[in-house]
């Protein structure tokens, strides 16, 4: 069990500091399965793309988890919902057949807060050891 | 209740016909909340992008549903899982705080089959009238 996963999220409001590049790299070193990605504004092209552009350029923490089918992938999403509710901090969860892509970022600061790395560590601990 | 939502999915294997452009437009006219989008290969830029490129250029049927929080969004995702399991056909479900983006397409033919429009109609009927 990692130290990071034992930490608690602090309240993160508009104006709270994003992690610095150095902090991000140090925290990421504790989360070898995760990547920092930059949101590009939707994974589809459509004439009806609407409210996604405001998220463009936001840094997010992302990992893909593999499962044996859709139902087990959804079961993981439900477990993740429980820890997200408990922490009052919620990810993006993309469930597809046999895989779940989890994305953490802090909406209020449009980027990565230490909380996101804590939640990523807690997400990893949902898996059987 | 729409006629489309009452139809059953047929078996869709590699080599089954994609819907024609005319069929797609006719079916889409029965699904006013849905859009046909083209998968662009991931909504994030990352040096670790892996298996998404094979899906690039695939046409998909997509709708975003709004909810009052994360838990109600996830409850909808669980309802959708039940009808997906019953039909043996599974969508992509992106759950975020207060919204769910549902994407239907047929993996085996890398595009849209009539089944996807049927499943979109069934998805709409999960909502309270």
């Amino acid at each position: 069990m990692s130290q990071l996963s034992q930490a608690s999220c602090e309240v993160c409001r508009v104006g709270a500091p994003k992690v610095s590049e150095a902090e991000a790299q140090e925290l990421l070193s504790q989360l070898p399965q995760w990547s920092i990605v930059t949101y590009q504004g939707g994974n589809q092209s459509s004439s009806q793309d609407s409210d996604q552009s405001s998220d463009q350029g936001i840094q997010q923490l992302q990992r893909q988890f593999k499962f044996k089918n859709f139902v087990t992938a959804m079961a993981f999403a439900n477990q993740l919902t429980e820890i997200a509710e408990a922490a009052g901090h919620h990810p993006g969860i993309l469930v597809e057949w046999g895989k779940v892509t989890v994305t953490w970022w802090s909406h209020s600061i449009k980027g990565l807060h230490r909380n996101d790395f804590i939640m990523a560590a807690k997400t990893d601990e949902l898996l059987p050891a």
Side-chain angles (χ1 to χ4, degrees), chain A:
Chain A
M1 211 172 262
S2 75
Q3 273 194 307
L4 198 55
S5 71
Q6 297 307 295
S8 294
C9 289
E10 52 192 83
V11 173
C12 174
R13 295 209 180 84
V14 174
K18 290 180 193 177
V19 290
S20 69
E21 183 61 31
E23 284 169 322
Q25 290 308 318
E26 193 282 317
L27 290 163
L28 197 61
S29 72
Q30 298 178 55
L31 300 163
Q33 310 282 345
W34 293 76
S35 308
I36 292 176
V37 298
T38 305
Y39 186 80
Q40 299 289 306
N43 65 346
Q44 274 86 17
S45 69
S46 161
S47 57
Q48 294 186 29
D49 263 356
S50 53
D51 59 356
Q52 299 187 310
S53 57
S54 64
D55 289 339
Q56 272 191 26
I58 290 181
Q59 284 204 316
Q60 301 176 320
L61 197 53
Q62 191 171 76
R63 180 180 170 186
Q64 192 179 93
F65 297 84
K66 301 272 186 179
F67 296 91
K68 65 180 179 185
N69 55 37
F70 198 89
V71 167
T72 50
M74 185 56 77
F76 179 74
N78 281 305
Q79 283 183 283
L80 184 48
T81 298
E82 286 182 31
I83 65 166
E85 282 293 303
H89 189 39
H90 300 85
I93 311 177
L94 174 61
V95 179
E96 296 170 276
W97 198 95
K99 64 183 175 182
V100 176
T101 306
V102 180
T103 308
W104 288 102
W105 77 103
S106 294
H107 302 249
S108 56
I109 60 170
K110 292 182 178 287
L112 289 171
H113 186 276
R114 190 168 188 276
N115 290 348
D116 298 303
F117 296 86
I118 293 170
M119 293 308 294
K122 291 183 191 289
T123 303
D124 282 346
E125 296 201 339
L126 294 175
L127 295 174

